Amino acid sequence: MAGETGAAKPSLIERWFPERHLFLRTNGDIRGHVLTSKKQMMLAGVAVAAAAWTLVASGGFIFDLVTRSQADSEVVKARAASERLNADLQARLETAVVRMTATTGGLDEMAQMVERRHAALTGVMSMFHGVDGAQAALAPAAPLDHARPVQRIVAVRMDQERLIERAGDFAQTRAERLRLAFRLAGLNPAAYAAAGSALGGPLVEAKDPQALAAILDVDEPFAVRIRHAADNLSEMRGLADAAEHLPFDRPTQARTTSGFGVRFDPFNGRPAVHQGQDFAAPLNTPIYATAPGIVSFAGVRSGYGNTVEIDHGRGFKTRFAHLNAMAVQPGQRIALGQRIGAMGTTGRSTGVHLHYEVWMDGRPQNPARFMRAGDTLVQ
């Protein structure tokens, strides 16, 4: 009986990646190259990894653009609503003035109301002390020196209406900008606004507009607007206080190189997770703290070389690696923008650069998101 010898059935990998031969001709010389299944699988893996990283990076960029656009749209809508309300208030005020001046004793009654409103408004304006831009934005209108008394009283009352609306709009706009910055950093603004210091005095004691009006001795509509401005100011203060202690600043103005995420390791050429942001500049370029805090580590770490780590509280930590020199010590309290070292190439490094990391609750974060948040706040 004659035996049969059949060819072995190719495996799944050999069917997908069969051995290929590549011939190159140069000046009459022909050279052959063999693309084995293993080499083809490696090339395909690299292509898939590159495509996946491009998709993830593009998705993050699009998400940031959408978030910024939505927040800016909210700010525009809030301003438009405030302007419409201000125009309505002015129209109603002018009507009320005409009616009041037509009655006996209307001038004295209006003067007393203006005085009571002035006292309440002074308390609200004092809360904006120290806030950048508040003094210019909330400046009262110039007095009418040559007008009749009734005209001057009417002008002051109208300016009070405008001023309290402007205060609420100013605080709301600042709060919106802060909320946008927190969202760009991947943080929930509500979790930080609640941590702000509350406003004191009758604005806290009386949540009900009628009760607040009685405490401040002003009309209820004006008390409602005071409460609205105070609420916006309270949220703005909470977010601003939290932002001052978060690493939103840049460690250096040097150009950025390798970013956060998957990249090819410069030593072995294999894909690896890069947990920070790199900056390239000349040797000994100054490096600065991106937020106030306490130095938790200053020394040599394996792979990182000379390293400084700062604890900012709330679970946030920053790391500055490959330094040529360190200017701080463990336990030292650091201020925002304080020089902590100089750029170098110590540790596992291919050249002079800073490796900068941001950590939250023990997990690495993308430093670029925090820097974009900081750029938003200074606009």
Side-chain angles (χ1 to χ4, degrees):
M1 184 167 112
E4 291 183 347
T5 58
K9 185 177 180 181
S11 65
L12 180 62
I13 295 178
E14 291 175 339
R15 290 202 304 270
W16 283 9
F17 301 100
E19 183 178 284
R20 291 180 170 86
H21 296 267
L22 180 65
F23 296 95
L24 300 177
R25 180 173 181 177
T26 305
N27 297 328
D29 294 333
I30 299 178
R31 294 183 180 181
H33 299 273
V34 179
L35 294 179
T36 64
S37 299
K38 185 177 180 180
K39 290 182 179 180
Q40 294 180 56
M41 288 176 61
M42 291 179 61
L43 291 175
V46 170
V48 170
W53 171 242
T54 302
L55 182 62
V56 171
S58 301
F61 178 73
I62 294 174
F63 175 78
D64 287 343
L65 289 180
V66 172
T67 302
R68 184 187 293 267
S69 177
Q70 290 177 347
D72 289 342
S73 178
E74 292 176 4
V75 172
V76 172
K77 290 180 180 178
R79 287 179 177 175
S82 176
E83 292 175 357
R84 289 194 300 269
L85 180 59
N86 193 30
D88 179 64
L89 288 173
Q90 180 174 345
R92 285 189 291 157
L93 179 60
E94 292 174 349
T95 302
V97 168
V98 172
R99 293 177 180 176
M100 188 173 292
T101 52
T103 61
T104 304
L107 186 60
D108 291 337
E109 183 179 348
M110 186 186 300
Q112 293 174 5
M113 179 180 291
V114 168
E115 291 174 354
R116 294 194 297 269
R117 284 186 167 196
H118 179 74
L121 196 57
T122 300
V124 174
M125 293 300 107
S126 64
M127 301 173 190
F128 285 90
H129 180 70
V131 178
D132 291 339
Q135 183 176 359
L138 304 179
L144 303 177
D145 295 330
H146 302 291
R148 292 179 301 171
V150 64
Q151 292 176 329
R152 293 168 64 182
I153 293 176
V154 170
V156 171
R157 182 175 175 180
M158 291 177 63
D159 189 49
Q160 289 176 340
E161 297 281 352
R162 295 192 189 96
L163 200 55
I164 193 62
E165 289 302 320
R166 199 179 302 140
D169 181 63
F170 178 86
Q172 185 175 12
T173 301
R174 285 298 181 91
E176 282 293 340
R177 183 61 61 182
L178 285 161
R179 282 195 290 269
L180 170 61
F182 276 77
R183 286 193 289 265
L184 287 175
L187 305 175
N188 179 14
Y192 295 86
S197 57
L199 299 176
L203 295 179
V204 172
E205 297 173 3
K207 297 289 185 182
D208 179 66
Q210 192 172 13
L212 182 60
I215 293 176
L216 298 178
D217 195 20
V218 295
D219 53 294
E220 187 173 332
F222 195 72
V224 171
R225 292 192 286 278
I226 286 181
R227 179 73 234 184
H228 176 68
D231 288 342
N232 287 332
L233 177 60
S234 179
E235 182 181 14
M236 181 196 76
R237 274 186 169 179
L239 292 173
D241 290 343
E244 289 179 357
H245 295 84
L246 296 179
F248 285 159
D249 209 355
R250 292 175 176 267
T252 174
Q253 294 302 318
R255 65 183 179 89
T256 57
T257 52
S258 296
F260 182 89
V262 179
R263 69 166 186 175
F264 290 103
D265 190 293
F267 287 92
N268 56 35
R270 298 175 182 174
V273 177
H274 188 237
Q275 295 183 339
Q277 175 71 57
D278 289 350
F279 298 83
L283 185 67
N284 290 326
T285 296
I287 305 301
Y288 304 98
T290 54
I294 298 177
V295 178
S296 58
F297 179 86
V300 178
R301 283 202 184 280
S302 176
Y304 289 99
N306 293 333
T307 303
V308 171
E309 296 176 1
I310 302 177
D311 184 357
H312 305 286
R314 295 176 180 262
F316 285 92
K317 180 184 77 172
T318 51
R319 174 179 290 162
F320 309 80
H322 306 311
L323 300 176
N324 190 51
M326 296 175 287
V328 295
Q329 298 177 352
Q332 181 178 346
R333 188 170 294 277
I334 301 298
L336 169 64
Q338 181 174 338
R339 184 178 179 275
I340 61 171
M343 190 178 297
T345 183
T346 58
R348 193 171 184 267
S349 171
T350 58
V352 177
H353 74 287
L354 168 71
H355 175 79
Y356 172 61
E357 295 180 0
V358 176
W359 289 71
M360 182 179 71
D361 296 331
R363 296 182 178 181
Q365 307 295 312
N366 187 350
R369 297 180 66 90
F370 284 78
M371 291 188 293
R372 281 197 296 270
D375 294 340
T376 300
L377 293 179
V378 299
Q379 287 178 355

